[in-house]
Amino acid sequence: MLTTVVPNPKPLRWQRVKSSPLARQREVFTTAFTFLFFIWWDNLWQNSSSATRKRRANWLVSNLLELGPTFIKVGQSLSTRVDLLPPEYIEALSALQDNVPAFGVTEAITIVETELGKSIHTIYRDFDRTPLAAASLGQVHKARLHTGEDVVVKVQRPGLKKLFDLDLHAIGKLLKVFRRYFAWTRKYQLEGIYSEFFTVLYQEIDYTQEGKNADRFRQNFKGYPRIVVPRVYWEYSTTQVLTMEYVPGIKVDDRQALEACGLNPKEINQLGICAYLKQLLQDGFFHADPHPGNLAVSQDGNLIFYDYGMMAEVQSMDKDQMVKTFFAVLRKDSNEVIDMLTSMGLLEAVPDMSPVKRMMKFVLDRFTERPVDIKAFEQMKSELVSMFEQQPFRLPAKMTYILKSLTTLDGIARILDPEYNLTAAAQPFVRSLTLAKGQGNMLGELARQARDFITYKLNQPSATEVFLRKLEDRLDRGELMIQVRSTESDRTLKRIHLAVKSLIYACLTGFTLLSGAVLLVGAGGGYVSWAIAAFMLSGLSLIGLLRSLIQLSIREKLDRIAER
């Protein structure tokens, strides 16, 4: 990922110190548990204002920068996880996308000369000493070959492999502690995400693999002149140095510059969406880091992709499920969408799926033909509260980079076309599939789904007919069951449970405090140690009481929201 160069005269901690495994583990654990303490403290005192979250988020970003490239990448990945983090954290972590300091040009030249075995002037006629851009893993310099071609030279930061080895060990230890002592972390499949993350990270520092990715990506878009993939100069590339064709362009999110060049942002937006649909649904090989620094537009309106280090593949089975889900979304078939999301592991079956189904139908009916409006969800308060309580949504490790790509693209699409909608943007892609000859199982499935969708749009049945057809199917499969449930009773029982729990903690706190006082003043002070133990137990009970009261307060607020 390439970003604007930020001058940084003071070296960061990871650049100054040669860490041992134990020292690196101590740094990681200290940062992690300090942050968890902040969160616990804020929850304890119900200090969860926007200003407090913003301060904690800025502290987190500062420490991720200090910890180095691995954690910068972690922060960049988290900056797209709107399902996990509040807006203040998303905003602060997004600053990591363009706040990465460059390293010295002398180091960069030394790495190039060592890797290629020649002096810099023997390799390149010109080599710009000021980097064009910097990233968490490397930086880019413009250069010119002796044959006259303008190129960019990507140079890897020194010592990354050793640092990644240390971080792999330290984060692995941290996750084991989390899994053992923090039960709430187990539902996020952190170990799978950790394994997937480091697999991709190690691939990113192998520039030979990045060059192969670029060649494969170019081959996939052969015959698509509006998608530009820079050429790799293999004779000037190694595992730590990558020389590629210089293809300048306008940043894809710079709408004013695009319009000044006579380009239509809506058309660029449609081109990008169709390019990603092809990658995900047809090729199964996609660019996993499509932020504005890695996407540009040429003067004649072609879309340019940069940086092929973070690429990911979709397995055949997953791709088939994604194809069916995509066309189910276009058809607004909420039941099939939920079935496919469940089979893909994105949804977990919970005792009452009715709030999820109502929410899915609401989203498909309202937002497939216009951008998502968060305020519109005010109409679905009770469903949101029910889903929050059950937490049926989850993100398997294999889907992490797909979601990251889609959320980043959605942000770019909103800038280019605030009124964009998926159905209209996908039409060129769908039309191209209907003309496909069906070579291979996957392309054949895509073509069949596309033709079925066109037929569906032309012969769209009435709402009553669709409902009766689905009802009949579910009766045949034995999936329809009657569920009687009193939401109000459930909420009341939960409040009673929390109130009783608080009462027990209050009694225990009072009893142990009184016992400690009696032991301290009684029997001539001979039971001081027992009195201290009683006071400590009283303190722990008090913490439990405060926590239970906070939970009771939150429960009452959620119930009031749901009842409005």
Side-chain angles (χ1 to χ4, degrees):
M1 186 200 70
L2 301 180
T3 57
T4 305
V5 177
V6 177
N8 187 45
K10 181 184 176 183
L12 298 171
R13 184 169 61 206
W14 65 273
Q15 294 172 308
R16 299 193 305 265
V17 181
K18 302 297 182 184
S19 295
S20 66
L22 187 60
R24 187 61 174 172
Q25 189 172 319
R26 185 172 63 247
E27 288 177 351
V28 172
F29 272 62
T30 300
T31 301
F33 283 102
T34 302
F35 182 67
L36 286 176
F37 173 79
F38 288 155
I39 300 301
W40 173 82
W41 183 262
D42 293 340
N43 288 336
L44 181 64
W45 297 105
Q46 291 186 286
N47 185 13
S48 58
S49 66
S50 179
T52 300
R53 289 198 297 265
K54 190 171 184 179
R55 186 169 68 252
R56 300 304 187 205
N58 289 333
W59 179 92
L60 179 62
V61 167
S62 175
N63 279 267
L64 290 176
L65 275 170
E66 286 288 334
L67 285 172
T70 306
F71 296 90
I72 292 172
K73 282 287 182 184
V74 170
Q76 289 168 352
S77 296
L78 288 174
S79 70
T80 64
R81 293 304 303 272
V82 293
D83 59 325
L84 296 182
L85 299 175
E88 293 81 4
Y89 284 87
I90 299 298
E91 182 181 354
L93 289 167
S94 295
L96 287 171
Q97 304 285 7
D98 47 27
N99 187 25
V100 185
F103 59 94
V105 67
T106 304
E107 284 182 290
I109 290 174
T110 300
I111 291 170
V112 172
E113 292 180 336
T114 303
E115 285 292 305
L116 297 177
K118 300 175 184 176
S119 70
I120 196 74
H121 296 296
T122 303
I123 305 165
Y124 308 107
R125 181 194 297 176
D126 301 308
F127 187 88
D128 195 341
R129 298 181 67 85
T130 303
L132 277 177
S136 53
L137 306 184
Q139 65 191 37
V140 170
H141 294 260
K142 186 180 176 185
R144 178 170 291 172
L145 299 177
H146 286 283
T147 49
E149 296 98 328
D150 287 329
V151 295
V152 290
V153 184
K154 187 174 179 181
V155 187
Q156 191 175 120
R157 288 183 182 273
L160 280 185
K161 173 67 166 59
K162 181 180 178 183
L163 188 65
F164 287 174
D165 291 341
L166 293 173
D167 290 341
L168 178 71
H169 177 75
I171 295 176
K173 289 279 188 183
L174 182 65
L175 292 184
K176 286 181 180 177
V177 172
F178 279 174
R179 183 166 187 81
R180 183 171 181 181
Y181 296 105
F182 299 93
W184 57 269
T185 64
R186 295 170 194 162
K187 63 184 177 183
Y188 294 117
Q189 297 186 325
L190 294 179
E191 287 83 358
I193 294 174
Y194 156 81
S195 175
E196 182 80 8
F197 175 79
F198 272 99
T199 298
V200 174
L201 200 60
Y202 276 108
Q203 289 175 359
E204 274 202 86
I205 60 171
D206 182 357
Y207 286 177
T208 302
Q209 183 60 47
E210 180 174 345
K212 291 177 181 178
N213 290 341
D215 286 347
R216 179 178 174 184
F217 195 80
R218 188 187 308 103
Q219 183 64 31
N220 286 346
F221 280 95
K222 187 178 180 181
Y224 292 80
R226 298 203 62 189
I227 303 299
V228 179
V229 181
R231 170 193 167 193
V232 178
Y233 290 87
W234 284 107
E235 61 270 37
Y236 307 109
S237 301
T238 67
T239 56
Q240 294 186 49
V241 175
L242 184 64
T243 302
M244 300 185 75
E245 178 185 4
Y246 176 59
V247 184
I250 306 163
K251 284 184 73 172
V252 73
D253 64 341
D254 192 344
R255 184 172 177 172
Q256 289 184 340
L258 292 173
E259 290 175 340
C261 292
L263 300 174
N264 185 350
K266 292 185 178 182
E267 185 183 340
I268 300 299
N269 186 42
Q270 189 175 66
L271 178 62
I273 290 173
C274 289
Y276 257 86
L277 290 174
K278 180 183 183 307
Q279 293 173 54
L280 288 169
L281 303 181
Q282 191 170 333
D283 302 332
F285 181 69
F286 67 98
H287 195 296
D289 197 15
H291 70 89
N294 285 342
L295 288 172
V297 182
S298 66
Q299 294 287 337
D300 51 358
N302 296 330
L303 189 62
I304 309 165
F305 283 84
Y306 302 128
D307 196 343
Y308 299 89
M310 188 178 287
M311 306 293 288
E313 291 198 59
V314 183
Q315 300 300 321
S316 297
M317 184 179 297
D318 299 327
K319 189 163 61 174
D320 181 59
Q321 292 171 328
M322 287 172 60
V323 167
K324 292 178 181 176
T325 305
F326 170 69
F327 283 100
V329 168
L330 294 186
R331 291 194 306 270
K332 300 183 182 181
D333 187 341
S334 57
N335 284 325
E336 186 171 352
V337 171
I338 287 174
D339 289 344
M340 295 312 303
L341 292 180
T342 303
S343 67
M344 292 166 71
L346 287 168
L347 264 180
E348 184 176 3
V350 291
D352 182 16
M353 290 293 286
S354 54
V356 181
K357 291 177 181 179
R358 287 195 295 270
M359 180 61 71
M360 184 62 69
K361 188 176 188 314
F362 175 76
V363 170
L364 294 179
D365 288 343
R366 294 288 297 272
F367 303 125
T368 51
E369 296 178 3
R370 59 182 173 181
V372 175
D373 180 8
I374 299 300
K375 293 180 181 177
F377 285 91
E378 290 288 321
Q379 302 173 27
M380 304 288 288
K381 279 183 180 178
S382 60
E383 280 74 12
L384 285 168
V385 171
S386 297
M387 287 195 300
F388 174 77
E389 290 172 350
Q390 297 186 89
Q391 295 181 322
F393 293 96
R394 57 183 178 178
L395 183 64
K398 64 183 179 181
M399 299 298 292
T400 303
Y401 289 99
I402 294 176
L403 181 66
K404 178 180 184 295
S405 299
L406 294 180
T407 51
T408 306
L409 281 172
D410 179 70
I412 295 172
R414 287 170 184 273
I415 293 171
L416 293 175
D417 181 9
E419 297 300 319
Y420 94 97
N421 71 80
L422 178 64
T423 303
Q427 290 306 313
F429 176 72
V430 174
R431 281 196 300 269
S432 70
L433 290 176
T434 61
L435 302 175
K437 298 299 183 182
Q439 295 176 355
N441 292 335
M442 195 64 246
L443 190 56
E445 176 63 24
L446 267 169
R448 282 192 296 275
Q449 289 282 349
R451 291 179 191 124
D452 289 346
F453 173 67
I454 297 294
T455 305
Y456 165 80
K457 294 298 286 185
L458 292 174
N459 305 298
Q460 195 165 2
S462 66
T464 305
E465 187 180 347
V466 171
F467 173 76
L468 291 174
R469 191 182 301 164
K470 289 179 180 176
L471 183 62
E472 183 182 357
D473 290 343
R474 287 180 175 269
L475 283 169
D476 289 342
R477 295 199 301 264
E479 293 179 358
L480 193 66
M481 66 179 191
I482 299 173
Q483 182 179 44
V484 180
R485 181 179 178 225
S486 173
T487 305
E488 186 61 35
S489 298
D490 286 350
R491 291 174 184 150
T492 303
L493 285 172
K494 288 176 181 178
R495 286 205 303 271
I496 292 172
H497 172 75
L498 286 171
V500 171
K501 188 177 176 182
S502 301
L503 182 62
I504 293 171
Y505 275 126
C507 292
L508 185 59
T509 301
F511 175 74
T512 51
L513 183 64
L514 184 61
S515 299
V518 170
L519 289 169
L520 188 64
V521 299
Y527 296 98
V528 174
S529 59
W530 287 100
I532 292 173
F535 287 139
M536 290 177 66
L537 184 58
S538 178
L540 292 173
S541 301
L542 179 61
I543 292 173
L545 173 61
L546 291 171
R547 183 179 177 185
S548 184
L549 289 172
I550 291 169
Q551 290 174 338
L552 181 60
S553 174
I554 292 172
R555 166 59 54 189
E556 289 176 346
K557 288 179 181 178
L558 287 172
D559 290 348
R560 281 199 296 270
I561 290 172
E563 288 166 3
R564 286 177 188 172

